[in-house]
Amino acid sequence: MKTSTIVALIIIVAIASFATGFFSYPAIKGPPPSPTPTPTPAPKPSIWEQIKERGYIIVGSSPDWPPYEFLDPVTGEFTGFEVELMEMIAERLGLRVEWREMGFDLIIPEIQAGTIDLGVSGFSVIPERLEIVQFTMPHSITEGQIIMLKSRAEALGITGEFDSLEKLEELGLICGAQVGTTQEDELLKLEAAGKLPKGTLKTYEDYLVALEDMKRGIIDCIYAETPVTSWWMLEAEQKGEEPMVVVFRRPYYPVAFVANIEANELVRKINGVLADLIAEGKVDELKAKWKCG
């Protein structure tokens, strides 16, 4: 083979190799394309927005706390001071109220679960509750009281008021309180600390049952608070029943409506209306009407 032919072949092979490498070599790429952004889900409507959308507020209450809330004996409807106050607030917010009857001790769990929007049932504002729910501004401040039949007090030689709950042990009294109340909690803590003997407290699902048991002599006294204690004593007087007396009293907690801990906007709206109603004298008028001033 001639030298020129060999040289030509080498050139052809080189060109072919170069071309093959050139065309098969991957193209130089730039930075990878940005991934398609995932759409951000729309934020969940606030509790207030949900209420406004449906047009009514769902309120849980235990209607056994006159004059704050109870069932009208004729109509069976919710009535009372807090009921009227809540209805007044709702009207100014452009809402109606759907009342749901439930045990007092179930109201806060239902609020936490989101099945109701608000609790209106004579709730005391206490530190332990503020850890798990929030409250509106208070509409009242009550007084803690232990009441008993006057005849029972006289039989035990109780002529005045004792100055501490520990006196229950000295007098050997069995005291009723409703489950989930601050009064029940106080007595349970005293029993746990050994300051009251076990069995001093008798817990009831309903204060009205406790009241009947006290009248029948099953328990000696009831630990509750104003204005329900005042209501019970006035009612007994009006019915000509055996009178009751206060044997212990102490300053007590503010009373307010209770809401979910995330219901900030709802609480602000209620507080704005409630502040106006207080300034206009409407709350005092309701208190006078229901004798709970």
Side-chain angles (χ1 to χ4, degrees):
M1 186 180 291
K2 295 182 179 180
T3 304
S4 59
T5 303
I6 296 171
V7 171
L9 289 172
I10 293 171
I11 292 171
I12 291 170
V13 171
I15 291 172
S17 300
F18 176 79
T20 303
F22 178 82
F23 289 111
S24 65
Y25 195 84
I28 298 174
K29 300 181 179 178
S34 300
T36 303
T38 303
T40 303
K44 181 182 177 182
S46 69
I47 293 173
W48 169 248
E49 290 169 337
Q50 294 175 51
I51 293 169
K52 286 292 289 182
E53 176 67 23
R54 78 169 90 100
Y56 61 91
I57 183 167
I58 303 170
V59 179
S61 184
S62 179
D64 53 9
W65 198 246
Y68 278 176
E69 45 271 323
F70 59 101
L71 298 179
D72 186 289
V74 177
T75 66
E77 299 292 325
F78 275 79
T79 190
F81 163 70
E82 280 193 313
V83 174
E84 282 202 33
L85 179 58
M86 184 63 232
E87 294 278 0
M88 194 178 293
I89 291 169
E91 182 180 3
R92 292 202 180 187
L93 291 174
L95 303 168
R96 63 182 177 84
V97 181
E98 179 181 297
W99 292 95
R100 291 191 184 175
E101 182 179 351
M102 58 187 63
F104 181 80
D105 58 320
L106 299 178
I107 296 174
I108 286 180
E110 294 290 333
I111 287 171
Q112 292 177 295
T115 53
I116 61 175
D117 304 311
L118 204 67
V120 176
S121 207
F123 275 97
S124 296
V125 182
I126 59 173
E128 292 83 357
R129 288 174 179 162
L130 285 167
E131 293 292 326
I132 55 175
V133 291
Q134 63 174 312
F135 287 87
T136 64
M137 63 188 296
H139 58 68
S140 306
I141 297 178
T142 62
E143 180 179 80
Q145 293 184 345
I146 292 179
I147 62 171
M148 64 192 314
L149 295 177
K150 183 179 179 181
S151 61
R152 180 63 174 153
E154 290 173 347
L156 293 170
I158 302 173
T159 57
E161 297 176 8
F162 45 87
D163 56 6
S164 73
L165 291 171
E166 285 87 339
K167 191 76 171 178
L168 292 170
E169 177 181 14
E170 182 180 329
L171 295 168
L173 303 180
I174 298 175
C175 189
Q178 183 168 300
V179 63
T181 61
T182 50
Q183 293 83 24
E184 180 205 30
D185 186 57
E186 280 185 76
L187 295 176
L188 283 174
K189 286 179 178 176
L190 288 172
E191 285 188 353
K195 295 181 179 180
L196 286 176
K198 297 291 184 181
T200 299
L201 167 67
K202 184 173 175 58
T203 298
Y204 290 86
E205 292 290 331
D206 188 326
Y207 258 127
L208 296 179
V209 179
L211 186 62
E212 290 305 311
D213 273 5
M214 185 180 75
K215 291 177 180 180
R216 293 189 296 155
I218 295 174
I219 59 175
D220 300 297
C221 55
I222 293 174
Y223 188 22
E225 63 193 275
T226 57
V228 69
T229 49
S230 304
W231 179 277
W232 289 334
M233 289 189 286
L234 178 61
E235 189 177 51
E237 180 183 332
Q238 292 174 339
K239 291 180 177 180
E241 297 177 349
E242 186 172 352
M244 302 175 214
V245 293
V246 178
V247 295
F248 170 81
R249 71 180 75 226
R250 55 156 291 191
Y252 223 57
Y253 298 95
V255 179
F257 303 154
V258 60
N260 189 284
I261 203 157
E262 296 180 355
N264 297 329
E265 191 175 4
L266 171 61
V267 170
R268 284 197 300 271
K269 296 289 185 182
I270 291 174
N271 283 347
V273 175
L274 184 52
D276 280 342
L277 293 174
I278 291 171
E280 294 166 14
K282 300 294 186 183
V283 175
D284 283 342
E285 288 176 11
L286 283 180
K287 288 181 179 179
K289 173 183 176 179
W290 291 103
K291 298 179 176 60
C292 56

